[in-house]
Amino acid sequence: MRAKKKHWYDYLWIWSILFFALGFFNIMFAWLGMLDFLIPLIIAIFGGNKWFCNHLCGRGQLFALLGNKLSRKKPTPNWLASRTFRYIFLTFFMLMFINIIFQTYLVASGGSGLRESIKLLWTIRVPWGWTYSPGIFPDWAAQFAFGFYGLMLTSAIIGLVVMALYKPRSWCAFCPMGTMTQSICKLRNRKHK
């Protein structure tokens, strides 16, 4: 059987590892994660498809790669892929993102001080102060980076857990970005019809 031709984007799993490694040593690299937030939306809005999810998502690629060895390869439960769960999960994630923006606003307006910590699973506060040197960037930019890195790390942990329990890319069944881009594609394609 002929091997599938590799493209440059087949190696974007390296991006996922690099993102977390860079953010571990300097939290300001968390801003690079906005690429994973904006590019799928741009492709969905202007392309009307989920090309990002199918080809460019480094996280999905990483889960597929790790899942070859670490996954139980059990079917993803139907409730995880159900429309109801996906939209509840998307809403929850968006509320967490809005909270990050609100905390950033508080720091920018002087209503709150910079919190040099990461929240894992939205509740466990982990000190992360070694990753930021005050004075180089405004505190509000650092506050956003701490919050966004925590959100990205939390979603990666959830993805790794479901990868180990079920199929390698089970995260993709309820990924908030996938749900959002799918909704955009449906709306866009409905308008064109």
Side-chain angles (χ1 to χ4, degrees):
M1 188 183 286
R2 209 170 178 196
K4 182 185 164 197
K5 184 184 174 197
K6 291 280 190 181
H7 298 90
W8 63 269
Y9 50 76
D10 291 324
Y11 300 96
L12 286 174
W13 58 269
I14 297 168
W15 165 249
S16 281
I17 294 171
L18 192 61
F19 168 78
F20 288 112
L22 290 171
F24 184 81
F25 293 106
N26 186 331
I27 198 63
M28 296 311 289
F29 282 109
W31 278 89
L32 291 174
M34 287 301 293
L35 293 171
D36 289 332
F37 194 79
L38 296 173
I39 292 172
L41 296 177
I42 291 167
I43 290 173
I45 290 167
F46 295 105
N49 59 51
K50 291 180 64 174
W51 201 79
F52 181 91
C53 294
N54 297 327
H55 299 285
L56 300 178
C57 182
R59 180 173 294 186
Q61 290 177 12
L62 183 62
F63 291 155
L65 195 66
L66 292 173
N68 286 334
K69 302 272 188 233
L70 304 174
S71 175
R72 292 175 46 211
K73 297 178 178 68
K74 301 283 185 191
T76 306
N78 290 337
W79 65 269
L80 273 180
S82 73
R83 182 182 171 132
T84 303
F85 181 77
R86 287 184 299 122
Y87 281 98
I88 289 171
F89 198 66
L90 170 62
T91 302
F92 184 72
F93 250 81
M94 290 310 295
L95 288 173
M96 292 300 103
F97 186 69
I98 290 167
N99 184 51
I100 291 167
I101 293 170
F102 180 67
Q103 294 302 320
T104 301
Y105 165 76
L106 287 177
V107 171
S109 67
S112 178
L114 174 64
R115 295 185 195 131
E116 296 182 58
S117 64
I118 299 290
K119 273 191 175 179
L120 288 179
L121 302 172
W122 306 287
T123 55
I124 305 164
R125 192 175 294 275
V126 181
W128 215 266
W130 72 86
T131 66
Y132 177 65
S133 300
I136 298 172
F137 295 98
D139 281 352
W140 68 264
Q143 184 64 55
F144 180 84
F146 278 109
F148 195 65
Y149 189 84
L151 186 69
M152 294 288 277
L153 190 57
T154 293
S155 63
I157 291 167
I158 293 168
L160 286 168
V161 169
V162 295
M163 175 214 69
L165 293 175
Y166 308 114
K167 289 182 179 177
R169 288 187 73 153
S170 290
W171 164 257
C172 300
F174 61 97
C175 168
M177 288 310 303
T179 302
M180 205 177 334
T181 55
Q182 184 177 35
S183 299
I184 290 168
C185 292
K186 283 181 179 177
L187 284 171
R188 185 184 182 279
N189 294 331
R190 192 177 300 151
K191 277 184 181 179
H192 288 315
K193 285 179 183 175

